[in-house]
Amino acid sequence: MQNKGLIKFFAILFALVSIYQLSFTFVANNVKGEAKAFAGDNPDKELKYLDSIGKEKVFDLGFTDYTYNEVKNKQLNKGLDLEGGINVILQISVKDVLKGLANNSKNPVFNKSLADATANLEGNKTYLNKFFEAFEANSNGTVKLASPDIFANKSMQGEGGIDFKMSDSDAQKVIKRKVGESIESAYKVLRERIDKFGVTQPNIQKLGETGRILVELPGAKDVDRIKKLLGGKAQLEFWETFKIEEIGNFLVASNEALKKTEVKKTETKTVAKDSLNALLTDAKDSVDTKKGNNPLFDKMIGQGGGPVLGYFAPKDTATVNAYFKRADIRILLGADQHNAKFVWSKPTTLKDAKGKEVEAVELYALKGNRDNTPAMSGGVVTDAKDTFDQLGKPAVSMQMNSQGAKVWEELTGRAFSQKGYIAIVLDDIVYSAPGVTSGPIAGGRSEITGSFDVAETKDLANVLNAGKLPASADIIQSTVVGPSLGQAAIDAGTVSSVLGFLLVCLWMVFYYGKAGWYANLALLLNLLFLFGIMASFGFVLTLPGIAGIVLTLGTAVDANIIIFERAKEELREGKSLSEAVVASYGWHGAMRSIIDANVTHVLTGAILFIFGTGPIKGFALTLLIGIVTSLFTSIFIARIFIDRNIAGKGDLTFSTNITKNWFTNFHFDFIKIKKFTYIFSSIVVVVSLVSIFFVNGLDEGVDFVGGRTFQVKFEKPVDATAISDELSAAFGTPVEAKVLGDNDQLKITTKYKIKEDGVAIDEEVNQKLYQALHKYYPNTTYDKFINSFDGKKVGVLQQSKVGASISEDIKTNSYWAVLGAMAVIFLYLMISFRKWQYSLGAIAAVAHDVIFVLGIYSLCYKFMPFHMEMDQHFIAAILTVIGYSMNDTVIVFDRIREFIIGNRKGTFEDIVNASINTTLSRTLNTSLMMIIVLLTMFIFGGESIRGFIFAMLIGIVVGTYSSLFIATPVLVDTISKDDKHTIEDKHNKA
């Protein structure tokens, strides 16, 4: 081997760099362990301890030292499935951005195009492109994007803007740029909010040009608080309000009007005595005052006063909103009330007629105008701080700019003279509506008070300082993993990795003797390099990533197996040990096969990385890094040990006494039985397709159809069917509950309101889940049930949401990923082997494998004791199967090509049979390695990836079969007779 010294130098250098990079992880873990021991079971105390030592020196290398914060930033990053935390994908509303850019145009073509783009949005299509398509269709050339009443308005004119002479294509370029700027602005606002929140190692990134932003917050535990922080638009507004005496007549008239459509004539229950009777003075003794006969007032649970029109239960707000939107109700508003805007307050607690505390929200009527704009917007706020009011309650103080101070003085002066109230509204929620008792307020300083806790005032000040989002940011996908679940995943991953490594090492020593030891040493270095590279570049380790590492254990020895098997062949042909080694490492030895096999791996891994998201990207990245490090260690490091042996004892045989004659005289006619394998495979394919399309279908997970999933741990075993029925009744829609591992743990899936976005919807779902399951947790509060914390044993351990829009994208990406992988491999093999028949044989085998695995999942998902859902993990498994199926096939095809170039005697079928038989040891050895590590992961890797591993396990077994009994027979049957005769004439000449 040339340049052996240089290779040693780089190997030592890489090893030292890897050890250096990984040392930060060990130090950080030790400090965290000390913090945990110091804090006991108190996570807040642990966090304060780590914060307090952030700037202290904890790692001294002699020539330099590092603080804990520096060490923490250099450690190997763990994904949320290992660390615990929250992952969300936010969709910035491009529709809202377009409305803003068009100055809320009333143009019917513009608004119809917005509606059409929303209704017809397809997977993998951006909203902006769909809007342009809809506008072109709706306008049909009669209206231009650059019309003065659409985008050629004052705010969009000027340098780099739009003028009314622009063509639609030119206007589209400007609009795209402006939308991009708005998304960039949203990204910066979210970045600032997150930085001030104080989460360790947050990750926020834009996802291409989709208007989506990925946010990962490792260690974050308060689910509802985080979602409010991220999803809140921070649209601060100041509105004048109507008083109850001004709007009371409208409420009475509305109640009367609603009786005509909402009241059943036969109800005669007595009305409870409360302040509502004061509004019904003309009907106290009539039948109309019976409980149930007052659609609006019956929903009130408390008396209003001042700007508060009444108190209602949160569950009734949607109904009341619907009442006030009705044309026959709004027409009852007085002449000066036509633009009234009805909004709600933050939830508060209230004692009902029985003295029991209940949750309630206040109803307000804001004084709107034709343009629905407030008296003053929050854009004038220059600074906000969390503080405490005169009563010692948490509050937020604000300072306004000079313009805002002037308007604020006018506004408060008017409220003082009219004895009115000013509602402080954030994202359409009233936080407070104080009166003004001491005259106009000058200087622009004000304070928001209300039923806050300290965390809420900190978050409110945070979002006000960061600024408002240019458009709403809806959470379309989210995953929440508790820290205890993350630790369980780490434990499962560690056990499976160590066990898989030991089994691979034992087999290599058993089969290849001393050469196997050399391969194992190279494997150890391979793992060091792999982790070192991940730590150096800040890559994230996920649970599927650990699966990728375990797979790397199996594939890392694949190159060594190919080389060792080739060396044994060269030795059997009479070459010396040094000659056999040189030949086996040569291009015409094992190198061509190794390169061809690994290129197919790289292609499928790259496609998986491009189309995958979240943990799947982690799996693909680990796989790709593993391929590179495996090739380096297998080809160069193991070679160094082998050359040392040749220079010393020279006793290598690449086998043991037990295995030296295995497969040496194996001559099976694989082509002869092709009719039987065709029939068997055809039956399997037909049965699979019938099951998929006509009988069982596939168990599509929320990744493909949208929905919410919760992993819920109960205090004792429960009946999944009973839980499913109870939850279905509570949600009013089917809810699926499946056992996950033990009978005290369920995976709960619901599609309830999945097409509706917003923090309020997410919280509503969480509340419904808690209320429906509360009897199983009599001593558990909502916060402890939903939110994560260290040591959590029961309640929601993990939850995820996939919105309808992103599920379409995931499904579309999955189809393209599988088809793209097959197409790319087809092209590569056609270029490499220069005959399309090789590509056809390989693709036939791959298609067979994919259908086989899909068929198994379709036939078995209803009764298997683990989940077999179609999701991103399953697609990752399919692409991995494609790569490894190609691996086996390419090795056989390379041997066929080698024998065709050589002087092998016999017919074309004899040459193909000989190729399969002479590579059988390598094929079965590699497959066995893969099966060993996959079985290890299947048994010990944890419940969450068991279905993912099972798909790969079935795929590897079937892939080995198809390489031997499908790919090569198809090649034989599609090669033309002329080509066969040419090959046979050449090989059978004297």
Side-chain angles (χ1 to χ4, degrees):
M1 180 174 63
Q2 301 295 321
N3 300 317
K4 189 184 301 182
L6 188 63
I7 291 170
K8 287 182 179 178
F9 170 76
F10 277 114
I12 293 171
L13 180 64
F14 288 161
L16 290 175
V17 170
S18 297
I19 292 170
Y20 168 76
Q21 291 291 344
L22 291 172
S23 63
F24 294 103
T25 303
F26 292 119
V27 173
N29 288 338
N30 286 336
V31 174
K32 288 178 184 176
E34 293 171 1
K36 193 176 287 291
F38 170 79
D41 293 328
N42 189 331
D44 292 332
K45 191 176 180 181
E46 179 184 341
L47 186 61
K48 288 179 181 178
Y49 176 87
L50 292 174
D51 286 341
S52 68
I53 64 168
K55 296 181 179 179
E56 291 184 14
K57 299 288 191 293
V58 296
F59 189 24
D60 189 354
L61 290 173
F63 58 90
T64 186
D65 49 33
Y66 296 93
T67 65
Y68 172 67
N69 285 340
E70 291 170 333
V71 167
K72 181 177 63 178
N73 291 331
K74 288 177 175 290
Q75 68 178 331
L76 179 63
N77 296 325
K78 294 194 288 286
L80 299 186
D81 50 359
L82 299 178
E83 180 80 5
I86 298 174
N87 169 304
V88 301
I89 293 180
L90 295 157
Q91 176 73 64
I92 304 301
S93 176
V94 177
K95 181 179 181 179
D96 285 355
V97 174
L98 291 173
K99 282 184 175 180
L101 294 176
N103 202 18
N104 290 311
S105 172
K106 302 294 191 296
N107 185 287
V109 173
F110 171 75
N111 285 288
K112 186 176 189 307
S113 300
L114 291 176
D116 289 349
T118 302
N120 301 323
L121 195 61
E122 301 167 349
N124 245 8
K125 289 273 190 177
T126 67
Y127 182 91
L128 188 56
N129 286 334
K130 292 301 290 185
F131 167 75
F132 289 149
E133 291 175 10
F135 189 88
E136 184 178 354
N138 291 327
S139 68
N140 197 24
T142 59
V143 180
K144 294 172 60 179
L145 288 169
S147 297
D149 64 335
I150 305 181
F151 289 111
N153 53 62
K154 289 183 179 180
S155 62
M156 287 285 282
Q157 290 177 353
E159 187 177 353
I162 290 179
D163 64 68
F164 64 91
K165 296 179 181 179
M166 270 188 176
S167 65
D168 278 357
S169 59
D170 289 336
Q172 285 179 11
K173 295 175 184 177
V174 178
I175 295 167
K176 284 182 179 179
R177 189 182 75 250
K178 292 289 186 181
V179 169
E181 289 171 358
S182 294
I183 293 169
E184 180 65 27
S185 173
Y187 170 80
K188 290 178 180 178
V189 169
L190 289 169
R191 170 91 267 173
E192 193 167 346
R193 289 186 189 180
I194 292 164
D195 286 343
K196 291 181 179 179
F197 188 71
V199 178
T200 303
Q201 291 180 306
N203 174 35
I204 174 171
Q205 55 183 288
K206 291 183 293 182
L207 301 179
E209 302 299 322
T210 62
R212 292 172 182 165
I213 297 174
L214 168 69
V215 178
E216 290 182 319
L217 304 176
K221 300 177 176 65
D222 193 330
V223 178
D224 291 336
R225 182 185 173 195
I226 291 291
K227 288 184 176 180
K228 287 177 182 176
L229 176 73
L230 296 176
K233 190 176 178 182
Q235 181 76 44
L236 180 66
E237 297 170 337
F238 302 88
W239 294 77
E240 295 177 280
T241 71
F242 289 104
K243 291 176 281 189
I244 190 169
E245 55 264 30
E246 295 173 324
I247 209 80
N249 289 335
F250 163 73
L251 297 179
V252 174
S254 298
N255 186 68
E256 293 298 315
L258 289 167
K259 290 178 183 179
K260 298 176 182 178
T261 58
E262 306 297 319
V263 175
K264 295 179 180 178
K265 301 296 184 184
T266 56
E267 296 191 12
T268 57
K269 294 179 182 178
T270 304
V271 68
K273 291 183 179 180
D274 58 27
S275 61
L276 292 182
N277 289 334
L279 295 173
L280 300 171
T281 53
D282 296 332
K284 278 187 179 179
D285 301 320
S286 70
V287 176
D288 288 340
T289 63
K290 303 299 181 182
K291 184 71 173 177
N293 291 350
N294 296 285
L296 180 61
F297 295 144
D298 285 343
K299 287 183 168 49
M300 279 192 188
I301 58 175
Q303 177 182 1
V308 180
L309 307 184
Y311 291 83
F312 293 78
K315 66 181 179 64
D316 291 329
T317 56
T319 303
V320 175
N321 286 339
Y323 288 163
F324 290 152
K325 287 180 181 178
R326 283 171 45 171
D328 61 323
I329 300 300
R330 290 201 68 87
I331 202 172
L332 301 174
L333 287 162
D336 61 338
Q337 300 170 352
H338 281 164
N339 295 311
K341 180 178 180 180
F342 293 94
V343 294
W344 303 94
S345 71
K346 283 178 73 267
T348 185
T349 53
L350 185 74
K351 288 187 177 181
D352 62 10
K354 298 179 181 179
K356 181 183 177 182
E357 285 194 348
V358 294
E359 190 176 47
V361 288
E362 301 162 345
L363 177 64
Y364 292 84
L366 307 181
K367 292 183 178 181
N369 53 37
R370 182 182 298 177
D371 296 325
N372 197 30
T373 55
M376 188 171 77
S377 72
V380 300
V381 175
T382 58
D383 185 42
K385 293 180 181 178
D386 57 294
T387 183
F388 295 90
D389 64 15
Q390 294 177 344
L391 299 176
K393 295 181 178 181
V396 176
S397 66
M398 300 179 298
Q399 179 61 51
M400 303 172 187
N401 59 25
S402 57
Q403 181 184 357
K406 182 179 179 182
V407 176
W408 183 243
E409 187 173 358
E410 294 174 358
L411 190 60
T412 54
R414 189 160 57 246
F416 172 72
S417 62
Q418 297 176 359
K419 296 183 180 180
Y421 300 86
I422 301 172
I424 300 173
V425 183
L426 183 71
D427 292 341
D428 285 334
I429 295 175
V430 176
Y431 276 72
S432 63
V436 180
T437 57
S438 57
I441 300 174
R445 179 160 290 280
S446 186
E447 189 173 70
I448 304 177
T449 59
S451 55
F452 295 109
D453 58 32
V454 174
E456 286 176 318
T457 56
K458 285 183 179 294
D459 290 345
L460 181 54
N462 178 357
V463 297
L464 290 177
N465 284 322
K468 70 175 184 179
L469 290 170
S472 61
D474 296 320
I475 297 175
I476 57 173
Q477 183 175 351
S478 64
T479 303
V480 181
V481 182
S484 57
L485 201 61
Q487 187 58 49
I490 292 174
D491 296 340
T494 302
V495 169
S496 60
S497 298
V498 171
L499 190 56
F501 176 77
L502 291 175
L503 290 173
V504 168
C505 290
L506 285 173
W507 179 258
M508 290 300 290
V509 172
F510 167 75
Y511 200 90
Y512 293 107
K514 187 177 288 187
W517 281 111
Y518 297 155
N520 292 340
L521 289 173
L523 185 59
L524 270 175
L525 272 178
N526 175 47
L527 289 176
L528 177 63
F529 293 159
L530 196 158
F531 280 110
I533 290 172
M534 294 188 72
S536 299
F537 290 96
F539 297 144
V540 178
L541 181 64
T542 62
L543 185 57
I546 291 179
I549 291 170
V550 176
L551 284 175
T552 299
L553 300 178
T555 57
V557 296
D558 181 49
N560 284 132
I561 290 174
I562 296 173
I563 292 167
F564 294 170
E565 290 297 324
R566 186 63 184 228
K568 286 197 292 186
E569 292 177 9
E570 301 293 342
L571 288 172
R572 283 195 288 268
E573 290 180 4
K575 292 182 179 178
S576 66
L577 178 59
S578 60
E579 291 173 337
V581 169
V582 170
S584 62
Y585 275 93
W587 178 254
H588 295 292
M591 284 305 104
R592 175 182 281 183
S593 298
I594 290 172
I595 297 302
D596 279 340
N598 281 279
V599 165
T600 59
H601 281 319
V602 170
L603 291 174
T604 53
I607 289 171
L608 187 57
F609 184 79
I610 292 169
F611 287 98
T613 60
I616 301 305
K617 273 191 183 292
F619 171 76
L621 185 63
T622 306
L623 212 56
L624 289 170
I625 296 172
I627 290 169
V628 176
T629 57
S630 296
L631 286 175
F632 177 75
T633 54
S634 299
I635 294 172
F636 297 109
I637 303 301
R639 176 74 182 273
I640 290 174
F641 294 122
I642 291 172
D643 286 348
R644 287 191 63 183
N645 181 275
I646 293 173
K649 294 182 179 180
D651 58 350
L652 272 182
T653 58
F654 300 99
S655 62
T656 63
N657 290 331
I658 298 174
T659 62
K660 64 181 179 180
N661 292 319
W662 286 15
F663 301 103
T664 53
N665 295 307
F666 196 83
H667 300 290
F668 184 79
D669 194 342
F670 288 89
I671 305 303
K672 185 178 181 179
I673 63 168
K674 65 181 181 181
K675 290 182 180 179
F676 299 103
T677 58
Y678 279 167
I679 292 171
F680 170 74
S681 293
S682 297
I683 292 171
V684 168
V685 167
V686 169
V687 170
S688 297
L689 293 175
V690 169
S691 179
I692 293 168
F693 292 106
F694 302 106
V695 182
N696 289 334
L698 293 165
D699 186 14
E700 291 188 300
V702 295
D703 280 357
F704 282 4
V705 297
R708 293 176 172 85
T709 61
F710 300 86
Q711 184 173 334
V712 182
K713 185 81 170 178
F714 291 81
E715 295 177 349
K716 56 186 179 180
V718 293
D719 182 355
T721 303
I723 295 292
S724 178
D725 292 341
E726 291 172 10
L727 289 173
S728 297
F731 280 92
T733 186
V735 177
E736 184 180 67
K738 293 181 179 178
V739 174
L740 187 66
D742 300 324
N743 288 332
D744 62 349
Q745 186 168 251
L746 299 180
K747 183 177 182 180
I748 295 168
T749 305
T750 175
K751 296 176 186 174
Y752 178 76
K753 290 190 177 180
I754 196 58
K755 292 186 178 181
E756 298 180 37
D757 293 316
V759 175
I761 299 296
D762 293 341
E763 193 168 350
E764 178 189 346
V765 174
N766 290 344
Q767 288 281 3
K768 280 183 175 290
L769 182 70
Y770 171 70
Q771 294 297 336
L773 299 179
H774 182 56
K775 67 179 182 181
Y776 298 97
Y777 304 90
N779 301 316
T780 303
T781 64
Y782 168 80
D783 285 340
K784 288 187 176 180
F785 176 77
I786 290 294
N787 293 321
S788 301
F789 54 87
D790 290 325
K792 185 174 184 178
K793 301 295 184 184
V794 297
V796 177
L797 303 183
Q798 179 175 358
Q799 60 174 290
S800 64
K801 166 192 170 183
V802 179
S805 61
I806 200 169
S807 67
E808 282 295 319
D809 290 356
I810 292 172
K811 185 183 290 189
T812 302
N813 284 343
S814 298
Y815 292 147
W816 282 114
V818 174
L819 294 175
M822 295 174 70
V824 168
I825 290 174
F826 182 91
L827 290 173
Y828 173 76
L829 293 181
M830 190 163 66
I831 293 170
S832 179
F833 289 90
R834 300 179 183 177
K835 281 189 178 293
W836 61 267
Q837 289 90 344
Y838 286 93
S839 296
L840 182 63
I843 293 302
V846 166
H848 166 274
D849 299 343
V850 171
I851 294 172
F852 195 108
V853 175
L854 287 171
I856 290 290
Y857 268 59
S858 176
L859 291 166
C860 302
Y861 77 84
K862 292 183 178 179
F863 58 84
M864 278 290 192
F866 53 88
H867 295 289
M868 301 176 73
E869 293 178 345
M870 300 296 104
D871 55 16
Q872 292 187 85
H873 291 82
F874 179 80
I875 297 302
I878 289 293
L879 288 173
T880 307
V881 167
I882 289 173
Y884 288 109
S885 178
M886 286 293 95
N887 199 346
D888 288 339
T889 302
V890 164
I891 296 300
V892 176
F893 284 179
D894 267 327
R895 184 55 60 91
I896 293 172
R897 177 170 55 186
E898 179 187 340
F899 281 175
I900 289 175
I901 295 172
N903 298 312
R904 192 89 186 186
K905 301 291 183 182
T907 65
F908 182 72
E909 285 79 0
D910 293 334
I911 293 172
V912 171
N913 265 321
S915 301
I916 300 173
N917 281 290
T918 54
T919 56
L920 194 60
S921 177
R922 178 265 160 203
T923 300
L924 295 181
N925 253 326
T926 300
S927 296
L928 182 62
M929 291 295 96
M930 294 299 302
I931 290 170
I932 287 174
V933 295
L934 286 171
L935 270 176
T936 304
M937 283 295 289
F938 182 76
I939 296 170
F940 300 103
E943 185 67 35
S944 61
I945 60 170
R946 192 155 286 153
F948 164 61
I949 297 297
F950 183 74
M952 284 195 286
L953 189 58
I954 295 297
I956 295 301
V957 174
V958 177
T960 304
Y961 160 83
S962 67
S963 297
L964 301 176
F965 297 104
I966 301 296
T968 45
V970 169
L971 171 65
V972 170
D973 290 341
T974 54
I975 288 284
S976 68
K977 290 182 179 180
D978 290 342
D979 285 342
K980 288 180 182 178
H981 288 153
T982 301
I983 294 168
E984 291 167 357
D985 288 344
K986 173 189 170 185
H987 284 262
N988 294 309
K989 285 181 180 178

